[in-house]
């Protein structure tokens, strides 16, 4: 009996040591994300694996289309009114630069006022303020203390021609506020939100602007960040949390999924660049509402799409506009792809047809894939990679 008890104790001890060993082995072994389901897309990445990574598949079709649709999102809040009224002259070189680029271009303008929106509980939408909500806007119409409205419609698309500069000026130089206004239009500047709404209406209210087989360039002009402070400064009176449509990732995903990777996205910004205290101090001093802010979120989006980050304080916009038009002109020729996420490890890249494969490089910590030469027209390049959600 005693020997049986001793044997039982030894068996229990051995079993315990075995279980402990297996636990230690599991804890010390590398955990791999193994889900390679091809249904993992930029709109619905695979769920997070046990190592904290998610997986996504993203495809890009290389085309040589010289079409580009340019969406200009201009800050029309009262804090920006003074800068906006003098915006036409600095932007005069924009149209001439596009005309000399050889691009098949068109321009639509919307504003940062997206009121009323679903999160209007932030109390940043004045009563009766019906913002542009991503619609292409026409020239400003007189406003009153009781309401804000806009003339909208696809007839306001600017195309190349003798009157293009005057038409563009009439759209981008806003006069949507009224003397003494403190809320019309909304001071809740949401440039990225507006761009997302504009795309949502690509086949309805904005029909005719987002063309097939055409690339998309966005230009955001503001003296503040998304939702004024970019959702980063809770102590600021202008603070409001960012919603999904305020995020750079949402806009990049939307373009990639709606057009199946066939539309390149380039976002250029004219803002107070992060860390530019000279510009910030100047804008703050000249802003009657003292509400200037660094464009952190806008700069993040511009950087992720390899766009130009221009300063709103530049005395002359000539060089900056030349850089922007140059970047837009390079869209059909680019050999760089901006992935929708930053890969956690080297992505797997496949070419279809395989005979069109070219060499490429990826620098850890970035979302840029750089090909040593542009893949042939019609090549579908697929990227499979993991990222930290």
């Amino acid at each position: 009996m005693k020997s049986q008890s001793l044997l039982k104790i030894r068996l229990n001890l051995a079993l315990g040591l075995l279980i402990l060993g297996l636990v230690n082995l599991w804890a010390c072994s590398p955990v791999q994300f193994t889900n390679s389901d091809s249904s993992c897309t930029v709109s619905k990445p695979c769920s997070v694996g046990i190592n904290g990574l998610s997986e996504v598949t993203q495809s890009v079709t290389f085309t040589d289309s010289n079409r580009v649709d340019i969406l200009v999102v201009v800050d029309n809040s009262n804090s920006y009114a003074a800068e906006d009224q003098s915006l036409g002259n600095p932007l005069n070189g924009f149209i001439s630069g596009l005309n000399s680029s050889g691009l098949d271009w068109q321009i639509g303008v919307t504003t940062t006022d997206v009121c009323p929106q679903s999160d209007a509980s932030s109390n940043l939408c004045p009563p009766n303020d019906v913002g542009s909500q991503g619609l292409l806007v026409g020239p400003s119409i007189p406003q009153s203390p009781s309401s804000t409205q806009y003339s909208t419609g696809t007839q306001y698309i600017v195309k190349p021609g003798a009157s293009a500069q005057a038409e563009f000026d009439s759209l981008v130089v806003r006069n949507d506020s009224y003397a003494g206004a403190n809320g019309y239009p909304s001071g809740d500047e949401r440039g990225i939100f507006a761009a997302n709404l504009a795309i949502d209406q690509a086949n309805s209210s904005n029909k005719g602007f987002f063309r097939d087989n055409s690339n998309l360039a966005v230009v955001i002009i503001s003296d503040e960040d998304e939702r004024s402070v970019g959702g980063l400064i809770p102590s600021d009176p202008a603070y409001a949390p960012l919603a999904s449509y305020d995020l750079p990732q949402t806009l990049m995903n939307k373009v990639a999924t709606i057009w199946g990777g066939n539309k390149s996205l380039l976002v250029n910004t004219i803002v107070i660049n992060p860390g530019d205290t000279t510009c910030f101090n100047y804008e703050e001093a000249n802003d009657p509402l003292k509400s200037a802010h660094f464009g952190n979120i806008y700069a993040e989006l511009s950087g992720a799409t390899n766009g130009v980050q221009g300063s709103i304080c530049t005395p002359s916009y000539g060089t900056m506009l030349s850089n922007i038009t140059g970047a837009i002109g390079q869209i059909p020729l680019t050999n760089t792809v901006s992935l929708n996420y930053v890969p956690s490890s080297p992505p797997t890249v496949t070419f279809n047809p395989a005979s069109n494969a070219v060499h490429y490089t990826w620098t850890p910590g970035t979302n840029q894939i750089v090909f040593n030469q542009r893949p042939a027209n019609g090549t579908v390049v697929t990227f499979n990679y993991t990222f930290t959600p």
Side-chain angles (χ1 to χ4, degrees):
M1 192 73 174
K2 183 176 179 181
S3 60
Q4 290 180 345
S5 297
L6 183 59
L7 177 61
K8 185 176 182 180
I9 291 173
R10 287 176 175 174
L11 287 173
N12 288 339
L13 179 60
L15 182 60
L17 290 173
L18 176 62
I19 293 175
L20 180 61
L22 290 174
V23 169
N24 286 335
L25 178 62
W26 175 82
C28 296
S29 298
V31 180
Q32 300 296 324
F33 189 96
T34 58
N35 191 343
S36 57
D37 185 353
S38 61
S39 64
C40 306
T41 65
V42 290
S43 60
K44 293 183 178 180
C46 290
S47 58
V48 178
I50 54 179
N51 59 352
L53 298 178
S54 189
E55 187 176 9
V56 67
T57 297
Q58 178 178 344
S59 295
V60 173
T61 301
F62 282 84
T63 65
D64 58 2
S65 172
N66 72 334
R67 281 185 169 188
V68 61
D69 305 320
I70 305 169
L71 178 66
V72 178
V73 185
V74 62
D75 187 340
N76 68 329
S77 66
N78 287 316
S79 67
Y80 187 67
E83 293 95 331
D84 186 72
Q85 289 303 300
S86 61
L87 194 56
N89 185 55
L91 291 176
N92 275 346
F94 193 46
I95 299 298
S96 61
L98 290 171
N99 282 334
S100 62
S101 68
L103 294 170
D104 175 2
W105 61 268
Q106 62 178 19
I107 295 177
V109 176
T110 192
T111 75
T112 55
D113 185 357
V114 299
C115 290
Q117 69 271 25
S118 59
D119 53 354
S121 59
S122 61
N123 297 318
L124 294 174
C125 283
N128 302 317
D129 177 16
V130 180
S132 53
Q133 302 178 66
L135 293 172
L136 302 185
V137 294
S140 297
I141 57 179
Q143 305 300 322
S144 70
S146 60
S147 67
T148 294
Q149 57 183 331
Y150 304 87
S151 52
T152 59
T154 53
Q155 68 270 27
Y156 300 116
I157 296 175
V158 178
K159 296 179 180 293
S163 61
Q165 184 65 59
E167 291 175 3
F168 178 64
D169 288 348
S170 72
L171 301 181
V172 77
V173 180
R174 309 303 302 172
N175 188 26
D176 297 329
S177 60
Y178 64 91
N182 188 25
Y184 292 98
S186 174
D188 191 13
E189 295 95 328
R190 307 181 81 169
I192 300 174
F193 200 112
N196 275 300
L197 289 180
I199 294 172
D200 285 346
Q201 301 169 87
N203 294 317
S204 54
S205 301
N206 289 336
K207 189 174 183 178
F209 179 68
F210 298 96
R211 297 173 293 177
D212 292 333
N213 194 27
S214 181
N215 298 302
L216 175 60
V218 178
V219 181
I220 299 176
I221 307 172
S222 178
D223 67 339
E224 298 189 26
D225 203 0
E226 186 80 0
R227 303 216 82 172
S228 293
V229 301
L232 302 174
I233 314 175
S235 61
D236 192 297
Y239 170 81
L242 299 182
S244 173
Y245 266 31
D246 294 302
L247 303 177
Q249 196 69 66
T250 302
L251 181 62
M252 292 189 295
N253 287 356
K254 186 179 291 291
V255 173
T257 54
I258 288 180
W259 287 287
N262 295 322
K263 189 183 293 291
S264 294
L265 172 66
L266 176 76
V267 180
N268 307 282
T269 52
I270 303 178
V271 298
I272 303 175
N273 285 315
D276 189 348
T277 55
T278 301
C279 181
F280 174 85
N281 292 336
Y282 174 82
E283 290 295 324
E284 183 81 357
N286 288 276
D287 178 0
L289 301 180
K290 298 292 185 279
S291 58
H293 290 93
F294 295 113
N296 295 296
I297 304 300
Y298 292 145
E300 177 186 333
L301 175 58
S302 182
T305 60
N306 212 28
V308 174
Q309 298 178 22
S311 171
I312 203 169
C313 293
T314 303
S316 171
Y317 282 10
T319 300
M320 177 170 55
L321 292 177
S322 177
N323 291 337
I324 290 176
T325 53
I328 292 174
Q330 286 296 312
I331 293 178
L333 306 174
T334 184
N335 61 348
T336 300
V337 170
S338 297
L339 299 177
N340 286 64
Y341 304 91
V342 176
S344 57
S345 59
T348 299
V349 182
T350 57
F351 297 81
N352 186 17
S355 58
N356 287 353
V358 297
H359 292 290
Y360 61 89
T361 58
W362 169 71
T363 302
T366 73
N367 67 333
Q368 306 287 321
I369 302 290
V370 181
F371 299 93
N372 67 333
Q373 65 183 56
R374 183 177 171 84
N377 185 39
T379 304
V380 178
V381 183
T382 301
F383 309 89
N384 184 266
Y385 58 95
T386 57
F387 66 96
T388 303

